[in-house]
Amino acid sequence: MKKRLRKKKHIGEFSKWARQLVVTRNTKLEADAFHRAFILEAIESNDCYCTGSFSDDKINVIVELGRASDDIESKFARVTTWLSGRSEVEGFTTGPLFDIWYQVYDDIEE
């Protein structure tokens, strides 16, 4: 398949990878400030995107890490390192790596 079609269909070297991330907090205080810091400092500063749900004591998101050539494992490691350094984070669970365009992820919350 030609490179133009692989890019258009998001396959091969143009596949986009993601992981599910569930974060539980030990407090419900200052949830908005924590959510803002999570998005700015952990997600956007590592060239990632996320979508999902945010509540006062829990975050359940899909973190889009980009293409395999973008060193996705170190990006995700920096996100989890940021979470480990926060005192209000009780714990977090991560799902397996999956192709965001063509694979259905197994929800780790179920």
Side-chain angles (χ1 to χ4, degrees):
M1 183 179 289
K2 293 184 178 189
K3 184 177 180 179
R4 177 182 61 83
L5 289 175
R6 288 194 312 272
K7 184 175 182 180
K8 184 177 182 177
K9 294 180 180 273
H10 301 278
I11 57 176
E13 69 269 30
F14 300 104
S15 296
K16 298 239 176 138
W17 298 96
R19 289 181 83 167
Q20 184 181 12
L21 177 65
V22 178
V23 180
T24 50
R25 298 179 62 223
N26 55 17
T27 181
K28 292 186 176 186
L29 301 174
E30 299 181 6
D32 289 337
F34 178 78
H35 296 158
R36 213 172 299 114
F38 173 73
I39 290 171
L40 291 174
E41 297 170 14
I43 301 297
E44 289 183 356
S45 68
N46 289 306
D47 273 341
C48 298
Y49 302 97
C50 74
T51 184
S53 63
F54 291 78
S55 67
D56 289 345
D57 61 344
K58 189 179 237 178
I59 296 174
N60 185 349
V61 292
I62 301 294
V63 180
E64 182 185 335
L65 302 165
R67 298 181 187 160
S69 62
D70 295 338
D71 196 16
I72 56 179
E73 289 302 326
S74 67
K75 277 185 177 183
F76 197 71
R78 289 191 297 269
V79 172
T80 56
T81 301
W82 184 87
L83 288 169
S84 297
R86 300 292 295 223
S87 62
E88 64 265 42
V89 173
E90 185 176 299
F92 58 89
T93 310
T94 62
L97 193 65
F98 67 95
D99 184 341
I100 202 163
W101 282 89
Y102 292 104
Q103 290 178 329
V104 178
Y105 73 97
D106 295 327
D107 192 1
I108 56 179
E109 278 289 282
E110 294 178 350

